Amino acid sequence: QVQLVESGGGLVQPGGSLRLSCAASGGTFSTYAMGWFRQATGKEREFVATISGSGMTTSYAGSVQGRFTIARDNAKSTVYLQMNSLKPEDTAVYYCAADTDNSNVQITTTDYDYWGQGTQVTVSS
């Protein structure tokens, strides 16, 4: 059983930055892929970024490429999402997810078997 706990969300002005963290417990963290997804009010959950178990491979949604960076610290069993140049359209609940059956990057929600509770990010002036 894997538990994921996100933190770091909040209210930020357009152009600002936030760093989300997701602490994992249970399982062998370095063996599974991690991902960040988001869900805005009234919309479906969408892929944001993913990172392989080793941390060597990452992938991003086109809408965040160049602004967001995913990273992981396997010694701390934590994955991060650094978000820069935030826009109002980035407003959403952000979720981290773990794919414990696979260490390679995954971009669809159905690939992941464990999810955090989510953290709200609001970008507004």
Side-chain angles (χ1 to χ4, degrees):
Q1 191 81 2
V2 173
Q3 292 186 328
L4 304 173
V5 179
E6 301 102 333
S7 61
L11 173 65
V12 63
Q13 292 186 341
S17 299
L18 279 176
R19 188 178 81 155
L20 306 183
S21 300
C22 173
S25 59
T28 304
F29 184 73
S30 62
T31 66
Y32 45 88
M34 295 295 296
W36 285 98
F37 292 77
R38 66 186 182 186
Q39 188 167 17
T41 302
K43 296 187 177 181
E44 292 187 353
R45 191 168 299 189
E46 64 175 4
F47 166 73
V48 174
T50 180
I51 188 167
S52 62
S54 67
M56 295 295 290
T57 304
T58 59
S59 182
Y60 297 91
S63 58
V64 307
Q65 181 80 46
R67 300 188 297 123
F68 291 10
T69 302
I70 189 170
R72 66 191 296 159
D73 184 338
N74 285 344
K76 296 182 178 180
S77 297
T78 301
V79 64
Y80 304 97
L81 185 69
Q82 178 66 44
M83 305 185 294
N84 298 329
S85 303
L86 283 161
K87 305 175 181 180
E89 51 263 43
D90 294 318
T91 296
V93 177
Y94 283 70
Y95 298 90
C96 69
D99 177 4
T100 61
D101 294 326
N102 172 67
S103 63
N104 297 317
V105 294
Q106 304 286 357
I107 65 171
T108 59
T109 57
T110 54
D111 290 321
Y112 292 85
D113 45 354
Y114 291 96
W115 293 82
Q117 82 287 352
T119 185
Q120 177 71 45
V121 171
T122 302
V123 185
S124 176
S125 56

